[in-house]
């Protein structure tokens, strides 16, 4: 390989076709004397050699010829063939290695003609991409070797896992959950498809090591609460964001809340409905509020007789574990109501230091992630003590503000250009890297960018899990007959 | 390069000696520092560079116009062409590469292509007589540049005439298309060889037609191609009688010189045919046997294409020279290195 050019952070190398096979995301070290330049391969193309068009056209016309023979006394043909197949490797400058440190501030270029180019060792990349910490989570393989990240790099950070469907997002999320729980972390999971319960079982059906550290709660069944526990603010947020209630109606709802509290001594859903029917107000507002409260009542999530407090449920995860909110049986607005309640409650619990910081994993986050009610959490998450991991296949549904604050991004394959454009704008790496690498990623491979890899983008083949992940697509044609 | 001899097909025996001499000449190159030729000066076609001028208009002279005869018969068409390139030059000698192509269009319209070479030669003032043998007479030089040019020209002619000789001997009842014209200069060997080629071709009932793209005949300062008559193409104007009076005496024509405008809209080309040619039948057979592209036979275009050096050929040959421990110097690179940081990339 030889250096052809460097333009901004793009480095182009010429390589012969029989060079070692490279994959997108691999790293190359360009060595000149004692200094080394680190570049990441983002694509490979045919080298645009002079006379190539003419040569190819000639080849094309030979295909129509009955016979083609060549008397080539010096075997020039084989040399030409090698030249014609020359490859252009497109790489991105990642820094200069000085005394084992990767530096971006040093202006140095290796010699085009005398520098030595070789594939970087996996140990070098592991070392450079390792963030501080000692709790290693084995993610999979990178450049032919095992690749780990430190659990500490998820702690206090906002993490996004995104990619199109069936690429392995949930699988990676489960792998992170298992890794975090094993190190004693507490995680709250919004489980849209009811898959995370499977982590308690091994593939052979026996109990996994996590079986007693996972708790699945189903809203309306084993997870119910009271409106009083939710509080007026949460109820107003639910009405505003989940049920699109206009401001005038919200003002009336506040009035009704205080009336109920004064008359019944406590606020219940039944009491609110009673007060609403009896209090004098504009009929259309009454109608609007009543229909919404009846709809909330139908969900059976608010139950004044047999409530469970979120504090108690979280308390059960004393030694690390995951509280899985199974939303698979909830209707869309019910799902959003539960999320709204849990987030609001969580924020209060953590603000009051009633519970240690926890991770929050939101599967299919685009289904309930709205501009408003996550903003507070995302903006102040470090102070509150909630560290979200969002999993989505619709990156454009997650607000810009969330991306801008993301510390770690796991990117699986996307082929849609508009998704890639969006990601390129929002992620912590240059647009070209995202577009070229992500577009070509096979299933179960992801590009990791951000603090978790010390801002060295790495392509990782995610390893298998020995527990039931249950995320696989159910198929009709499963048996061959 | 040890396997060199094995690669030469038995039938093309003459190439064995040709490539062997080339290889021997290269041995003296080892360790030589030599300037690469200008990259703009890649391929030349010297055989066409013959000027015939006369300073009168055609109106006053006799010329005959023929129409190609309608024929049903098709013939095999064989076209051959060569090209050469000067790869590098030093004060002592020049590295020349030559290449040839033979393209055969069979009666069923199928195409066969054979490329010969590239062959490499290092020609200097000591070895040129050994390399070029009879053709060394062609090398008359007053300057180093003349030597380079004449050496290139002589080598190209050597290969081309050998190929022509081989084809006319091997083929029968075919149309054989040459690139260039049937004109000899004062060089006796050349005239004799061309006469021999034409004679053997006739014996084997081959039809020789030589198409020229670049030879110039000027009539009162205007080029031959600008002559128009009030006929619809295809037609052939036989200018032989006219030109006989005005021919440069240093040039001996061994055939009939015509202007052939074979398709509407085409410029017309200088075409030479042997003296005893039935022009209407020859061109009738050609039109029946080979498609024309802008009035030029496609088979000959293919031969030209496959014998031409591409940039990639040049790069490869230069790579090969480097492998032979020849240091190639690029004059313009030195200029770039010295001045480009100051004067920028204005070119």
């Amino acid at each position: 390989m030889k250096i052809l050019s460097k333009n901004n952070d793009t480095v182009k190398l010429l390589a012969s076709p029989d060079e070692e096979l490279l994959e997108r995301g691999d790293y190359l070290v360009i060595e000149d004397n004692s200094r080394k330049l680190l570049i990441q391969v983002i694509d490979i193309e045919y080298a645009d050699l002079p006379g190539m068009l003419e040569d190819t056209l000639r080849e094309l016309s030979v295909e129509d010829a009955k016979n083609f023979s060549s008397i080539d006394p010096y075997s020039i043909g084989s040399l030409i063939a090698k030249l014609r197949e020359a490859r252009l490797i497109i790489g991105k400058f990642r820094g200069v290695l000085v005394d084992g440190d990767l530096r971006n501030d040093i202006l140095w270029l290796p010699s085009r003609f005398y520098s030595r180019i070789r594939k970087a060792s996996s140990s070098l990349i592991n070392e450079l991409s390792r963030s501080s910490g000692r709790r290693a989570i084995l993610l999979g393989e990178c450049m032919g070797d095992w690749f780990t990240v430190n659990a500490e790099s998820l702690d206090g950070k906002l993490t996004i896992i995104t990619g199109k469907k069936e690429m392995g997002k949930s699988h990676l999320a489960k792998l992170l959950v298992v890794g975090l729980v094993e190190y004693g972390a507490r995680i709250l999971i919004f489980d849209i498809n009811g898959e995370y319960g499977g982590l308690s079982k091994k593939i052979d059906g026996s109990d996994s090591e996590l079986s007693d550290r996972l708790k699945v709660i189903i809203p309306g069944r084993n997870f119910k609460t009271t409106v009083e526990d939710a509080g007026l603010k949460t109820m107003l947020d639910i009405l505003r964001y989940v049920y699109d209630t206009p401001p005038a109606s919200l003002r009336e709802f506040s009035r009704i809340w205080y009336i109920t509290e004064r008359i019944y001594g406590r606020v219940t859903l039944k009491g609110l409905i009673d007060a609403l029917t009896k209090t004098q107000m504009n009929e259309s507002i009454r109608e609007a509020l009543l229909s919404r409260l009846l709809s909330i009542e139908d969900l059976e999530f608010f139950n004044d007789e047999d409530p469970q407090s979120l504090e108690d449920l979280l308390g059960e995860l004393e030694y690390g574990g995951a509280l899985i909110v199974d939303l698979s049986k909830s209707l869309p607005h019910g799902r959003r109501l539960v999320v709204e309640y849990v987030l609001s409650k969580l924020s209060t619990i953590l603000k009051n230091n009633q519970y240690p910081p926890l991770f929050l994993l939101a599967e299919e986050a685009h289904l309930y992630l709205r501009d408003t009610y996550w903003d507070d959490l995302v903006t102040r998450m470090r102070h509150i003590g909630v560290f979200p991991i969002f999993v989505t296949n619709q990156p454009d549904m997650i607000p810009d503000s969330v991306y801008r604050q993301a510390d770690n991004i796991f990117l699986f394959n996307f082929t849609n250009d508009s998704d890639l454009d969006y990601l390129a704008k929002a992620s912590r790496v240059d647009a070209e890297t995202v577009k070229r690498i992500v577009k070509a990623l096979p299933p179960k491979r992801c590009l990791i960018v951000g603090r978790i890899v010390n801002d060295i983008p790495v392509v990782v083949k995610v390893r298998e899990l020995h527990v039931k992940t249950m995320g696989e697509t159910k198929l009709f044609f499963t048996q061959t007959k | 390069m040890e396997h060199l001899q094995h690669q030469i097909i038995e039938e093309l025996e003459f190439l064995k000696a040709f490539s062997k001499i080339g290889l021997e000449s290269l041995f003296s190159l080892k360790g030589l520092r030599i300037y690469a030729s200008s990259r703009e000066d890649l391929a030349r076609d010297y055989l066409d560079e013959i000027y015939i001028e006369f300073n009168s208009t055609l109106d006053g002279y006799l010329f005959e116009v023929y129409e190609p005869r309608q024929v049903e018969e098709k013939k095999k068409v064989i076209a051959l062409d060569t090209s050469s390139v000067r790869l590098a030059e030093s004060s002592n000698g020049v590295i020349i590469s030559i290449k040839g192509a033979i393209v055969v269009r069979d009666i069923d319209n199928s195409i066969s292509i054979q490329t010969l070479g590239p062959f490499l030669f290092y020609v200097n003032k000591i070895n040129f007589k050994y390399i070029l043998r009879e053709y060394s007479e062609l090398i008359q030089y007053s300057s180093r540049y003349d030597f380079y040019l004449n050496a290139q020209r002589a080598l190209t002619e050597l290969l081309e005439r050998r190929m022509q000789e081989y084809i006319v001997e091997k083929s029968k009842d075919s149309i054989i298309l040459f690139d260039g014209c049937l004109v000899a200069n004062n060089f006796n060997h050349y005239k004799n060889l061309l006469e021999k080629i034409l004679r053997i071709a006739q014996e084997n009932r081959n039809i020789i037609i030589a198409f020229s793209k670049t030879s110039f005949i000027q009539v009162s300062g205007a080029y031959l191609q600008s002559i128009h008559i009030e006929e619809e193409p295809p037609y052939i104007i036989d200018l032989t009688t006219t030109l006989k009076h005005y021919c440069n005496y240093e040039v001996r024509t061994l055939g009939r010189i015509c202007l052939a405008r074979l398709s509407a809209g085409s410029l017309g080309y200088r075409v030479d045919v042997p003296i005893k040619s039935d022009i209407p039948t020859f061109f009738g057979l050609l039109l029946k046997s080979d498609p024309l592209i802008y009035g030029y036979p496609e088979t000959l275009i293919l031969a030209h294409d496959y014998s031409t050096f591409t940039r990639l050929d040049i790069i490869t040959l230069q790579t090969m020279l480097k492998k032979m421990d020849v240091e190639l110097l690029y004059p313009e690179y030195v200029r770039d290195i010295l001045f480009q940081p100051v004067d920028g990339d204005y070119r």
Side-chain angles (χ1 to χ4, degrees):
Chain A
M1 276 186 266
K2 290 277 172 210
I3 302 172
L4 179 69
S5 66
K6 179 189 173 292
N7 193 1
N8 293 327
D9 62 347
T10 304
V11 181
K12 291 183 177 171
L13 308 172
L14 276 177
S16 71
D18 44 12
E19 298 268 4
E20 191 181 357
L21 195 68
L22 290 171
E23 290 179 14
R24 282 188 181 84
D26 281 354
Y27 276 90
L28 297 172
V29 174
I30 305 174
E31 209 168 346
D32 185 6
N33 291 321
S34 58
R35 286 193 178 141
K36 292 168 186 167
L37 188 82
L38 189 72
I39 66 159
Q40 185 174 31
V41 176
I42 60 165
D43 212 342
I44 187 161
E45 292 174 354
Y46 293 112
D48 189 14
L49 297 173
M52 203 59 216
L53 175 67
E54 194 183 342
D55 235 51
T56 315
L57 285 171
R58 245 185 223 187
E59 270 314 299
L60 202 67
S61 64
V62 164
E63 285 176 10
D64 294 333
K66 189 171 74 177
N67 292 310
F68 182 84
S69 61
S70 175
I71 292 169
D72 181 4
Y74 313 116
S75 297
I76 299 268
S78 61
L79 270 174
I80 291 181
K82 201 171 173 182
L83 272 179
R84 277 199 302 206
E85 296 300 335
R87 306 290 199 250
L88 184 71
I89 295 169
I90 301 169
K92 283 283 169 184
F93 171 88
R94 297 289 180 230
V96 179
L97 280 165
V98 182
D99 301 327
D101 289 332
L102 193 65
R103 305 262 303 265
N104 286 313
D105 56 334
I106 292 181
L107 282 173
W108 173 76
L109 279 178
S111 158
R112 279 197 214 203
F113 298 101
Y114 305 112
S115 55
R116 207 164 66 87
I117 303 173
R118 59 181 167 83
K119 199 170 168 180
S121 66
S122 51
S123 57
L124 175 71
I125 300 308
N126 253 311
E127 197 174 313
L128 291 171
S129 62
R130 184 165 300 135
S131 52
S132 59
R134 54 188 175 80
R135 296 173 177 83
I137 299 174
L138 181 61
L139 275 194
E141 286 173 55
C142 170
M143 295 178 71
D145 208 348
W146 292 114
F147 185 81
T148 58
V149 291
N150 287 324
E152 286 89 339
S153 52
L154 295 166
D155 195 9
K157 307 288 187 296
L158 169 62
T159 301
I160 296 172
I161 302 174
T162 186
K164 68 180 186 193
K165 66 175 189 173
E166 293 178 11
M167 286 295 132
K169 300 182 299 295
S170 297
H171 180 83
L172 174 70
K174 284 164 197 156
L175 200 148
L176 292 177
V177 167
V178 171
L180 288 169
V181 170
E182 278 173 355
Y183 285 118
R186 296 171 179 88
I187 308 175
L188 185 107
I189 300 169
F190 290 129
D191 182 7
I192 288 284
N193 301 312
E195 304 166 359
Y196 283 77
L199 296 179
S200 61
K201 297 281 178 199
K202 287 183 181 170
I203 292 169
D204 61 10
S206 61
D207 284 350
S208 72
E209 290 83 358
L210 298 181
S211 60
D212 56 347
R213 298 166 83 174
L214 302 177
K215 181 163 180 65
V216 180
I217 52 174
I218 303 171
R221 293 194 192 170
N222 64 350
F223 179 35
K224 295 175 183 179
T225 188
T226 61
V227 284
E228 195 161 37
D229 186 43
L232 175 61
K233 185 183 174 300
T234 305
M235 289 308 290
L236 283 173
D237 282 348
I238 289 170
L239 287 171
R240 184 187 296 149
Y241 300 126
V242 181
Y243 290 95
D244 290 327
T245 310
S249 303
L250 291 174
R251 276 196 299 276
E252 283 299 321
F253 180 78
S254 297
R255 193 164 66 91
I256 294 295
W257 181 278
Y258 292 120
I259 290 170
T260 312
E261 205 171 28
R262 203 172 56 236
I263 295 171
Y264 300 105
R266 63 189 277 244
V267 183
T268 60
L269 191 57
K270 195 169 178 307
L272 281 171
I273 294 168
D274 271 357
L276 189 64
T277 50
K278 289 171 187 163
T279 310
Q280 194 176 5
M281 68 170 68
N282 181 299
E283 274 310 310
S284 58
I285 290 179
R286 188 200 313 278
E287 198 64 30
L289 284 174
L290 196 58
S291 65
R292 284 167 172 86
L293 289 180
L294 288 172
S295 166
I296 290 171
E297 192 180 31
D298 282 348
L299 296 173
E300 296 178 3
F301 178 60
F302 290 108
N303 185 321
D304 296 312
E305 308 307 320
D306 183 23
Q308 285 92 29
S309 87
L310 191 62
E311 289 97 319
D312 293 343
L313 291 167
L314 288 170
E316 290 176 31
L317 309 176
E318 198 175 344
Y319 303 106
L323 182 66
I324 301 162
V325 185
D326 183 349
L327 298 168
S328 62
K329 292 162 185 74
S330 304
L331 295 170
H333 63 280
R335 200 158 53 205
R336 286 168 62 192
L337 182 147
V338 172
V339 171
E340 184 69 34
Y341 164 75
V342 172
L343 290 182
S344 166
K345 193 69 193 165
L346 203 58
S347 179
T348 312
I349 294 169
L350 293 168
K351 266 187 230 168
N352 297 337
N353 292 323
Q354 288 169 262
Y355 199 74
L358 54 69
F359 293 90
L360 176 74
L361 189 133
E363 265 279 355
E364 312 278 8
H366 55 276
L367 295 177
Y368 44 81
L369 200 62
R370 292 289 179 272
D371 293 345
T372 47
Y373 56 82
W374 285 86
D375 260 5
D376 184 50
L377 196 76
V378 168
T379 316
R380 300 190 304 115
M381 55 168 217
R382 282 185 297 123
H383 309 292
I384 299 170
V386 176
F387 313 129
I389 300 170
F390 296 132
V391 185
T392 181
N393 60 16
Q394 291 183 29
D396 53 339
M397 297 294 280
I398 295 183
D400 263 3
S401 56
V402 174
Y403 275 111
R404 301 222 182 276
Q405 294 183 70
D407 298 286
N408 309 312
I409 304 183
F410 294 82
L411 293 166
F412 285 84
N413 179 286
F414 271 115
T415 40
N416 186 314
D417 281 336
S418 66
D419 285 337
L420 286 166
D421 283 339
Y422 192 81
L423 284 169
K425 272 193 291 181
S427 61
R428 295 169 63 103
V429 70
D430 60 281
E432 211 181 349
T433 299
V434 172
K435 286 184 182 175
R436 297 233 193 193
I437 294 184
V438 172
K439 207 169 187 173
L441 285 172
K444 293 203 171 175
R445 272 178 202 253
C446 66
L447 172 71
I448 310 174
V449 293
R451 293 190 186 182
I452 197 165
V453 285
N454 225 357
D455 283 320
I456 308 276
V458 177
V459 173
V460 173
K461 183 184 174 192
V462 182
R463 72 176 168 94
E464 291 298 326
L465 266 176
H466 299 298
V467 289
K468 283 192 175 175
T469 49
M470 294 170 70
E472 60 271 12
T473 308
K474 283 184 183 171
L475 300 172
F476 178 78
F477 298 110
T478 50
Q479 289 180 341
T480 49
K481 287 185 179 176
Chain B
M1 273 177 240
E2 289 78 8
H3 58 286
L4 166 72
Q5 297 303 321
H6 305 292
Q7 290 194 328
I8 309 293
I9 298 172
E10 282 299 310
E11 286 186 337
L12 293 161
E13 194 68 26
F14 71 92
L15 290 176
K16 275 188 187 175
F18 196 67
S19 52
K20 187 169 169 250
I21 292 168
L23 190 61
E24 282 169 6
S25 73
L26 296 177
F27 288 138
S28 58
L29 274 174
K30 197 170 177 181
L32 202 73
R33 300 182 81 193
I34 192 162
Y35 277 94
S37 294
S38 162
R39 282 169 285 177
E40 299 306 317
D41 182 24
L42 287 179
R44 290 183 175 274
D45 207 349
Y46 290 103
L47 295 181
D48 282 349
E49 285 186 7
I50 293 166
Y51 289 80
I52 301 172
E53 273 183 59
F54 62 106
N55 289 314
S56 296
T57 59
L58 268 182
D59 302 340
Y61 298 92
L62 284 172
F63 62 92
E64 289 170 89
V65 178
Y66 300 99
E67 258 186 58
R69 186 162 293 137
Q70 296 278 341
V71 291
E72 289 304 313
E73 186 191 357
K74 276 178 95 173
K75 281 185 180 287
K76 184 193 273 188
V77 181
I78 304 166
L80 44 100
D81 197 5
T82 54
S83 73
S84 61
V85 56
R86 291 197 315 274
L87 287 173
E89 296 156 0
S90 75
S91 54
N92 295 322
V94 56
I95 301 174
I96 296 163
S97 183
I98 23 176
K99 209 173 157 186
I102 301 168
V103 179
V104 179
R105 181 187 294 278
D106 232 316
I107 293 170
D108 64 359
N109 238 8
S110 64
I111 298 273
S112 300
I113 301 159
Q114 178 153 52
T115 60
L116 315 175
F119 300 96
L120 268 176
F121 291 88
Y122 174 55
V123 187
N124 57 35
K125 288 166 190 170
I126 299 162
N127 71 6
F128 78 93
K129 285 192 176 161
Y130 171 70
I131 292 174
L132 295 163
R133 311 282 161 100
E134 316 81 60
Y135 284 80
S136 60
E137 276 185 53
L138 266 180
I139 304 204
Q140 313 278 323
Y141 62 92
S142 55
S143 67
R144 192 191 301 165
Y145 187 67
D146 278 351
F147 178 79
Y148 299 154
L149 283 181
N150 288 328
Q152 183 178 5
R153 183 175 180 169
L155 269 171
T156 316
E157 284 204 17
L158 181 64
L159 178 64
E160 184 141 359
R161 295 303 169 207
R162 289 279 190 200
M163 283 165 58
Q164 289 173 352
E165 208 178 346
Y166 164 76
I167 290 295
V168 293
E169 271 176 16
K170 291 291 296 177
S171 314
K172 287 186 171 55
D173 287 317
S174 303
I175 299 171
I176 299 172
L177 302 176
F178 291 173
D179 186 71
C181 40
L182 303 177
V183 170
N185 51 23
N186 275 341
F187 174 38
N188 278 327
H189 172 76
Y190 182 62
K191 179 177 174 284
N192 295 342
L193 184 63
L194 193 54
E195 279 173 343
K196 183 185 162 193
I197 289 167
L198 295 176
R199 194 189 69 242
I200 299 169
Q202 197 183 10
E203 284 167 10
N204 287 338
R205 297 179 306 282
N206 289 316
I207 295 168
I208 302 281
I209 306 177
F211 274 79
S212 168
K213 294 180 298 297
T214 55
S215 68
F216 301 108
I217 298 178
Q218 287 185 328
V219 182
S220 297
Y223 288 110
L224 174 80
Q225 281 82 353
S226 64
I227 299 169
H228 278 272
I229 56 166
E230 287 183 7
E231 293 251 355
E232 282 296 309
Y235 59 78
I236 302 104
I237 306 173
D238 185 358
L239 300 160
T240 317
T241 322
T242 313
L243 290 170
K244 264 184 186 167
H245 298 285
Y246 291 93
C247 229
N248 185 335
Y249 285 110
E250 288 181 8
V251 178
R252 284 179 254 176
T253 55
L254 299 178
R256 288 161 74 178
I257 301 170
C258 308
L259 166 68
R261 197 167 278 127
L262 299 177
S263 61
S266 84
L267 282 172
Y269 301 93
R270 174 187 167 168
V271 178
D272 289 17
V273 289
I275 289 168
K276 291 176 185 171
S277 297
D278 176 1
I279 290 177
T281 310
F282 275 24
F283 283 89
L285 285 165
L286 177 68
L287 292 183
K288 185 75 185 170
S289 309
D290 201 16
L292 299 176
I293 294 173
Y294 299 114
Y296 202 83
E298 190 194 44
T299 311
L300 194 54
I301 291 176
L302 284 173
H304 185 71
D305 282 349
Y306 281 93
S307 66
T308 307
F309 284 86
T310 65
R311 295 260 172 182
L312 214 52
D313 290 334
I314 307 294
I315 294 168
T316 314
L317 288 165
Q318 286 175 341
T319 309
M320 213 186 89
L321 288 174
K322 281 179 192 164
K323 282 187 175 173
M324 294 169 73
D325 210 12
V326 177
E327 190 181 348
L328 286 175
L329 306 169
Y330 298 90
E332 61 270 50
Y333 284 2
V334 177
R335 187 199 173 278
D336 288 354
I337 290 163
L338 290 174
F339 302 113
Q340 208 155 71
V342 180
D343 67 4
D345 190 13
Y346 70 92
R347 283 178 299 171

